[in-house]
Coordinates of all heavy atoms in Angstrom, one line a residue:
M1 N -44.7 37.1 -21.9 CA -44.8 38.5 -22.3 C -43.8 39.3 -21.5 O -43.6 39.2 -20.3 CB -46.2 39.0 -21.9 CG -46.4 40.5 -22.2 SD -48.1 41.0 -21.9 CE -48.9 40.4 -23.3
S2 N -43.0 40.1 -22.2 CA -42.0 40.9 -21.6 C -42.5 42.2 -20.9 O -43.4 42.9 -21.5 CB -40.9 41.3 -22.6 OG -40.0 42.1 -22.1
T3 N -42.0 42.6 -19.8 CA -42.4 43.8 -19.1 C -41.3 44.8 -19.1 O -41.3 45.8 -18.4 CB -42.9 43.5 -17.7 OG1 -41.8 42.9 -17.0 CG2 -44.1 42.7 -17.7
S4 N -40.2 44.6 -19.9 CA -39.1 45.4 -19.9 C -39.5 46.8 -20.5 O -40.3 46.9 -21.4 CB -38.0 44.8 -20.8 OG -36.9 45.7 -21.0
T5 N -38.9 47.9 -19.9 CA -39.1 49.2 -20.3 C -38.0 49.8 -21.2 O -38.0 50.9 -21.6 CB -39.4 50.2 -19.1 OG1 -38.3 50.2 -18.3 CG2 -40.6 49.8 -18.4
Q6 N -37.0 48.9 -21.4 CA -35.8 49.4 -22.2 C -36.3 49.5 -23.7 O -37.1 48.7 -24.2 CB -34.7 48.4 -22.1 CG -34.0 48.5 -20.8 CD -32.7 47.6 -20.8 OE1 -32.4 47.0 -21.8 NE2 -32.0 47.7 -19.7
P7 N -35.8 50.5 -24.4 CA -36.1 50.6 -25.8 C -35.5 49.5 -26.6 O -34.5 48.9 -26.2 CB -35.4 51.9 -26.2 CG -34.5 52.3 -25.2 CD -34.9 51.6 -23.9
T8 N -36.2 49.1 -27.6 CA -35.8 48.0 -28.5 C -34.8 48.5 -29.5 O -35.2 48.8 -30.7 CB -36.9 47.2 -29.1 OG1 -37.7 48.2 -29.8 CG2 -37.8 46.6 -28.1
V9 N -33.6 48.7 -29.1 CA -32.5 49.2 -30.0 C -31.5 48.1 -30.1 O -31.1 47.6 -29.1 CB -31.9 50.5 -29.5 CG1 -30.8 51.1 -30.4 CG2 -33.0 51.6 -29.2
P10 N -31.0 47.8 -31.3 CA -29.9 46.8 -31.4 C -28.7 47.2 -30.6 O -28.5 48.4 -30.3 CB -29.6 46.8 -32.9 CG -30.8 47.3 -33.6 CD -31.4 48.3 -32.6
A11 N -27.9 46.2 -30.2 CA -26.7 46.5 -29.3 C -25.8 47.6 -29.8 O -25.3 48.3 -29.1 CB -26.0 45.2 -29.1
S12 N -25.5 47.6 -31.1 CA -24.7 48.7 -31.7 C -25.4 49.3 -32.9 O -26.1 48.7 -33.6 CB -23.4 48.1 -32.2 OG -22.6 47.7 -31.1
R13 N -25.3 50.7 -33.0 CA -26.0 51.4 -34.0 C -25.0 52.3 -34.7 O -24.1 52.9 -34.0 CB -27.1 52.2 -33.5 CG -28.1 51.5 -32.6 CD -29.3 51.0 -33.2 NE -29.8 51.7 -34.3 CZ -31.1 51.9 -34.5 NH1 -32.0 51.6 -33.6 NH2 -31.5 52.5 -35.6
F14 N -25.1 52.6 -36.0 CA -24.4 53.6 -36.6 C -25.0 55.0 -36.2 O -26.1 55.1 -35.8 CB -24.5 53.5 -38.1 CG -23.7 52.4 -38.7 CD1 -24.3 51.3 -39.1 CD2 -22.3 52.6 -38.9 CE1 -23.5 50.2 -39.7 CE2 -21.6 51.5 -39.4 CZ -22.2 50.4 -39.8
V15 N -24.1 56.0 -36.2 CA -24.6 57.3 -35.7 C -25.8 57.8 -36.4 O -26.7 58.4 -35.8 CB -23.4 58.4 -35.8 CG1 -23.1 58.7 -37.2 CG2 -23.8 59.6 -35.1
D16 N -26.0 57.5 -37.7 CA -27.2 58.0 -38.4 C -28.4 57.2 -37.9 O -29.5 57.8 -37.8 CB -27.0 57.8 -39.9 CG -26.1 58.7 -40.5 OD1 -25.8 59.8 -40.0 OD2 -25.5 58.4 -41.6
E17 N -28.3 56.0 -37.6 CA -29.4 55.2 -37.0 C -29.7 55.6 -35.6 O -30.9 55.7 -35.2 CB -29.1 53.7 -37.1 CG -29.0 53.2 -38.5 CD -28.5 51.8 -38.6 OE1 -27.8 51.4 -37.7 OE2 -28.8 51.2 -39.6
L18 N -28.7 56.0 -34.8 CA -29.0 56.5 -33.5 C -29.7 57.8 -33.6 O -30.5 58.1 -32.7 CB -27.7 56.7 -32.7 CG -27.7 57.0 -31.3 CD1 -28.6 56.0 -30.5 CD2 -26.4 57.2 -30.7
G19 N -29.5 58.5 -34.7 CA -30.3 59.7 -34.9 C -31.8 59.6 -35.0 O -32.5 60.5 -34.9
D20 N -32.2 58.3 -35.1 CA -33.7 58.0 -35.0 C -34.2 58.4 -33.6 O -35.3 58.6 -33.4 CB -34.0 56.6 -35.3 CG -33.7 56.2 -36.8 OD1 -33.5 57.1 -37.6 OD2 -33.6 55.0 -37.0
Y21 N -33.3 58.3 -32.6 CA -33.6 58.5 -31.2 C -33.1 59.8 -30.7 O -33.7 60.4 -29.8 CB -33.1 57.3 -30.4 CG -33.7 56.0 -30.8 CD1 -33.0 55.3 -31.8 CD2 -34.9 55.6 -30.3 CE1 -33.6 54.1 -32.2 CE2 -35.4 54.4 -30.8 CZ -34.8 53.6 -31.7 OH -35.3 52.5 -32.2
L22 N -32.0 60.3 -31.2 CA -31.4 61.5 -30.8 C -30.9 62.3 -32.0 O -30.6 61.7 -33.0 CB -30.1 61.2 -29.9 CG -30.3 60.4 -28.7 CD1 -28.9 59.9 -28.1 CD2 -31.0 61.1 -27.6
S23 N -30.9 63.6 -31.9 CA -30.5 64.5 -33.0 C -29.0 64.2 -33.4 O -28.1 64.2 -32.6 CB -30.6 65.9 -32.6 OG -29.9 66.7 -33.5
V24 N -28.8 63.9 -34.7 CA -27.4 63.6 -35.2 C -26.6 64.8 -35.0 O -25.4 64.7 -34.6 CB -27.5 63.1 -36.7 CG1 -26.0 63.0 -37.2 CG2 -28.2 61.8 -36.8
D25 N -27.1 66.0 -35.3 CA -26.3 67.3 -35.1 C -25.9 67.4 -33.6 O -24.8 67.8 -33.3 CB -27.1 68.5 -35.5 CG -27.3 68.5 -37.0 OD1 -26.5 67.9 -37.7 OD2 -28.3 69.2 -37.5
K26 N -26.9 67.1 -32.7 CA -26.6 67.2 -31.3 C -25.5 66.2 -30.9 O -24.6 66.5 -30.1 CB -27.8 67.0 -30.4 CG -28.6 68.3 -30.3 CD -27.8 69.3 -29.5 CE -28.6 70.4 -28.9 NZ -27.8 71.4 -28.2
L27 N -25.6 65.0 -31.4 CA -24.6 63.9 -31.1 C -23.2 64.4 -31.5 O -22.3 64.2 -30.7 CB -25.0 62.6 -31.8 CG -26.0 61.8 -31.1 CD1 -26.4 60.6 -32.1 CD2 -25.5 61.2 -29.8
A28 N -23.1 65.0 -32.7 CA -21.8 65.5 -33.1 C -21.3 66.6 -32.2 O -20.1 66.6 -31.9 CB -21.9 66.0 -34.6
H29 N -22.2 67.5 -31.9 CA -21.8 68.6 -31.0 C -21.4 68.1 -29.6 O -20.3 68.5 -29.1 CB -23.0 69.6 -30.8 CG -22.8 70.7 -29.9 ND1 -22.0 71.8 -30.2 CD2 -23.2 70.9 -28.6 CE1 -22.0 72.6 -29.2 NE2 -22.7 72.1 -28.2
W30 N -22.2 67.2 -29.0 CA -21.8 66.6 -27.7 C -20.5 65.8 -27.8 O -19.7 65.8 -26.9 CB -22.9 65.7 -27.2 CG -24.2 66.4 -26.8 CD1 -24.3 67.6 -26.3 CD2 -25.5 65.9 -26.9 NE1 -25.6 67.9 -26.1 CE2 -26.4 66.9 -26.4 CE3 -26.0 64.7 -27.4 CZ2 -27.7 66.7 -26.4 CZ3 -27.4 64.5 -27.4 CH2 -28.2 65.5 -26.9
R31 N -20.2 65.1 -29.0 CA -19.0 64.4 -29.1 C -17.8 65.4 -29.1 O -16.8 65.1 -28.5 CB -19.0 63.6 -30.4 CG -17.7 62.8 -30.6 CD -17.9 61.8 -31.7 NE -16.7 61.2 -32.1 CZ -16.0 60.3 -31.4 NH1 -16.5 59.9 -30.3 NH2 -14.9 59.8 -31.9
L32 N -17.9 66.5 -29.8 CA -16.9 67.5 -29.8 C -16.6 68.1 -28.4 O -15.5 68.4 -28.0 CB -17.2 68.6 -30.8 CG -17.1 68.3 -32.3 CD1 -17.6 69.4 -33.1 CD2 -15.7 67.9 -32.6
E33 N -17.7 68.3 -27.6 CA -17.6 68.8 -26.3 C -17.1 67.7 -25.3 O -16.7 68.1 -24.2 CB -18.9 69.3 -25.8 CG -19.4 70.6 -26.4 CD -20.7 71.1 -25.8 OE1 -21.4 70.3 -25.3 OE2 -20.9 72.3 -25.8
G34 N -17.2 66.4 -25.7 CA -16.9 65.4 -24.8 C -18.0 65.1 -23.8 O -17.7 64.5 -22.7
T35 N -19.2 65.4 -24.1 CA -20.3 65.2 -23.2 C -21.3 64.2 -23.7 O -22.3 63.9 -23.0 CB -21.1 66.6 -22.9 OG1 -21.6 67.1 -24.1 CG2 -20.1 67.6 -22.2
G36 N -21.2 63.7 -24.8 CA -22.1 62.7 -25.4 C -21.8 61.3 -24.9 O -20.9 61.1 -24.1
P37 N -22.6 60.4 -25.4 CA -22.4 59.0 -25.0 C -21.1 58.5 -25.6 O -20.6 59.0 -26.6 CB -23.6 58.2 -25.7 CG -24.1 59.1 -26.7 CD -23.8 60.5 -26.3
K38 N -20.5 57.5 -24.9 CA -19.2 56.9 -25.4 C -19.5 56.2 -26.7 O -20.5 55.5 -26.9 CB -18.7 55.9 -24.4 CG -18.2 56.5 -23.1 CD -17.7 55.5 -22.2 CE -17.4 56.1 -20.8 NZ -16.9 55.1 -19.9
A39 N -18.5 56.4 -27.7 CA -18.7 55.9 -29.0 C -17.4 55.0 -29.3 O -16.4 55.3 -28.8 CB -18.8 57.0 -30.1
T40 N -17.6 54.1 -30.2 CA -16.5 53.3 -30.7 C -16.3 53.6 -32.2 O -17.3 53.5 -32.9 CB -16.7 51.8 -30.5 OG1 -17.0 51.6 -29.1 CG2 -15.6 50.9 -31.0
K41 N -15.1 53.8 -32.6 CA -14.9 54.1 -34.1 C -14.4 52.8 -34.7 O -13.3 52.4 -34.3 CB -13.9 55.3 -34.2 CG -13.8 55.7 -35.7 CD -13.3 57.1 -35.7 CE -13.0 57.5 -37.2 NZ -14.1 58.3 -37.7
L42 N -15.1 52.3 -35.6 CA -14.8 51.1 -36.3 C -14.7 51.5 -37.8 O -15.7 51.5 -38.5 CB -15.8 49.9 -36.1 CG -15.9 49.5 -34.7 CD1 -17.1 48.5 -34.6 CD2 -14.6 48.8 -34.2
G43 N -13.5 51.8 -38.3 CA -13.4 52.3 -39.6 C -14.0 53.8 -39.7 O -13.7 54.6 -38.8
E44 N -14.8 54.1 -40.6 CA -15.4 55.4 -40.8 C -16.5 55.7 -39.8 O -16.5 56.7 -39.2 CB -15.8 55.7 -42.2 CG -16.2 57.1 -42.5 CD -15.1 58.1 -42.3 OE1 -13.9 57.7 -42.4 OE2 -15.4 59.2 -42.0
P45 N -17.5 54.8 -39.7 CA -18.7 55.2 -38.9 C -18.4 55.0 -37.4 O -17.6 54.2 -37.0 CB -19.8 54.2 -39.3 CG -19.0 53.0 -39.8 CD -17.7 53.5 -40.4
L46 N -19.1 55.8 -36.6 CA -19.1 55.6 -35.2 C -20.2 54.6 -34.8 O -21.2 54.6 -35.4 CB -19.4 56.9 -34.5 CG -18.4 58.0 -34.6 CD1 -18.9 59.3 -34.0 CD2 -17.1 57.6 -34.0
R47 N -19.9 53.9 -33.7 CA -20.9 53.0 -33.2 C -21.1 53.3 -31.7 O -20.2 53.6 -31.0 CB -20.5 51.5 -33.3 CG -20.5 51.0 -34.7 CD -20.4 49.5 -34.8 NE -20.5 49.0 -36.1 CZ -21.6 48.6 -36.7 NH1 -22.7 48.6 -36.1 NH2 -21.5 48.1 -37.9
Y48 N -22.4 53.2 -31.3 CA -22.8 53.5 -29.9 C -23.4 52.2 -29.4 O -24.4 51.7 -29.9 CB -23.8 54.6 -29.8 CG -23.2 56.0 -30.2 CD1 -23.2 56.4 -31.6 CD2 -22.7 56.8 -29.3 CE1 -22.7 57.6 -31.9 CE2 -22.1 58.1 -29.7 CZ -22.1 58.4 -31.0 OH -21.6 59.6 -31.4
S49 N -22.8 51.7 -28.3 CA -23.4 50.5 -27.7 C -24.7 50.9 -27.0 O -24.8 52.0 -26.4 CB -22.4 49.8 -26.8 OG -22.3 50.5 -25.6
L50 N -25.6 50.0 -26.9 CA -26.9 50.2 -26.2 C -26.6 50.5 -24.7 O -27.1 51.4 -24.2 CB -27.8 49.0 -26.3 CG -29.1 49.0 -25.6 CD1 -29.9 50.2 -26.0 CD2 -29.8 47.7 -25.7
E51 N -25.6 49.8 -24.1 CA -25.3 50.0 -22.7 C -24.8 51.4 -22.5 O -25.2 52.1 -21.5 CB -24.3 49.0 -22.3 CG -24.8 47.6 -22.2 CD -24.8 46.9 -23.6 OE1 -24.1 47.4 -24.5 OE2 -25.5 45.9 -23.8
N52 N -23.9 51.9 -23.4 CA -23.3 53.2 -23.2 C -24.4 54.3 -23.4 O -24.4 55.3 -22.7 CB -22.2 53.5 -24.2 CG -20.9 52.8 -23.8 OD1 -20.8 52.3 -22.6 ND2 -20.0 52.7 -24.7
V53 N -25.3 54.1 -24.4 CA -26.3 55.1 -24.6 C -27.3 55.2 -23.4 O -27.7 56.2 -22.9 CB -27.1 54.9 -25.9 CG1 -28.3 55.8 -26.1 CG2 -26.1 55.1 -27.1
L54 N -27.7 54.0 -23.0 CA -28.7 53.9 -21.8 C -28.0 54.5 -20.6 O -28.7 55.2 -19.8 CB -29.1 52.5 -21.6 CG -30.0 51.9 -22.7 CD1 -30.4 50.5 -22.4 CD2 -31.3 52.8 -22.9
A55 N -26.8 54.2 -20.3 CA -26.1 54.8 -19.1 C -26.0 56.3 -19.3 O -26.2 57.0 -18.3 CB -24.7 54.2 -19.0
W56 N -25.7 56.8 -20.4 CA -25.6 58.2 -20.7 C -27.0 58.9 -20.5 O -27.1 59.9 -19.8 CB -25.1 58.5 -22.1 CG -25.0 59.9 -22.5 CD1 -24.0 60.8 -22.1 CD2 -25.9 60.6 -23.3 NE1 -24.2 62.0 -22.7 CE2 -25.4 61.9 -23.5 CE3 -27.0 60.2 -24.0 CZ2 -26.0 62.9 -24.2 CZ3 -27.6 61.2 -24.8 CH2 -27.1 62.5 -24.9
L57 N -28.0 58.3 -21.0 CA -29.4 58.8 -20.8 C -29.8 58.8 -19.3 O -30.4 59.7 -18.8 CB -30.4 58.0 -21.7 CG -30.3 58.3 -23.2 CD1 -31.2 57.3 -23.9 CD2 -30.6 59.7 -23.5
R58 N -29.5 57.7 -18.6 CA -29.9 57.6 -17.2 C -29.2 58.7 -16.4 O -29.8 59.2 -15.5 CB -29.5 56.2 -16.7 CG -30.6 55.1 -16.9 CD -30.3 53.9 -16.1 NE -29.1 53.3 -16.4 CZ -28.9 52.4 -17.4 NH1 -29.9 52.0 -18.2 NH2 -27.7 51.8 -17.7
A59 N -27.9 58.9 -16.7 CA -27.2 60.0 -16.0 C -27.7 61.4 -16.2 O -27.5 62.3 -15.4 CB -25.7 59.9 -16.4
R60 N -28.5 61.5 -17.3 CA -29.1 62.8 -17.6 C -30.6 62.9 -17.3 O -31.2 63.9 -17.7 CB -28.8 63.2 -19.0 CG -27.4 63.7 -19.2 CD -26.8 63.3 -20.5 NE -25.4 63.7 -20.5 CZ -24.4 63.0 -20.0 NH1 -24.7 61.9 -19.4 NH2 -23.1 63.4 -20.1
T61 N -31.1 61.9 -16.7 CA -32.6 61.9 -16.5 C -32.9 62.8 -15.4 O -32.3 62.8 -14.3 CB -33.0 60.5 -16.1 OG1 -32.8 59.6 -17.2 CG2 -34.5 60.4 -15.8
D62 N -33.9 63.7 -15.6 CA -34.3 64.7 -14.6 C -35.2 63.9 -13.6 O -36.2 63.4 -14.0 CB -35.1 65.8 -15.3 CG -35.5 66.9 -14.4 OD1 -35.2 66.8 -13.2 OD2 -36.1 67.9 -14.9
R63 N -34.8 63.9 -12.4 CA -35.5 63.2 -11.4 C -36.4 64.1 -10.5 O -36.7 63.8 -9.4 CB -34.6 62.4 -10.5 CG -33.7 61.5 -11.3 CD -33.3 60.3 -10.6 NE -32.3 59.5 -11.2 CZ -32.5 58.7 -12.2 NH1 -33.6 58.5 -12.7 NH2 -31.5 58.0 -12.8
R64 N -36.8 65.3 -11.0 CA -37.6 66.2 -10.2 C -39.0 65.7 -10.0 O -39.6 65.0 -10.8 CB -37.7 67.6 -10.9 CG -36.4 68.3 -10.7 CD -36.5 69.7 -11.3 NE -35.9 69.7 -12.6 CZ -36.0 70.7 -13.4 NH1 -36.6 71.8 -13.1 NH2 -35.4 70.6 -14.6

């Protein structure tokens, strides 16, 4: 039995699928500002690695 608390998200996701977890409009806005998770462009769609998204989320976690 796994006790991992990491979300079960495939290693790479298309931006629309990542929108299941984060707002697609916000991702586009953050990308334009340069403040969103690191993305890789492979052809037309953007891909976000699980590692990059989790690192980005951890950096923004409110620790109050």
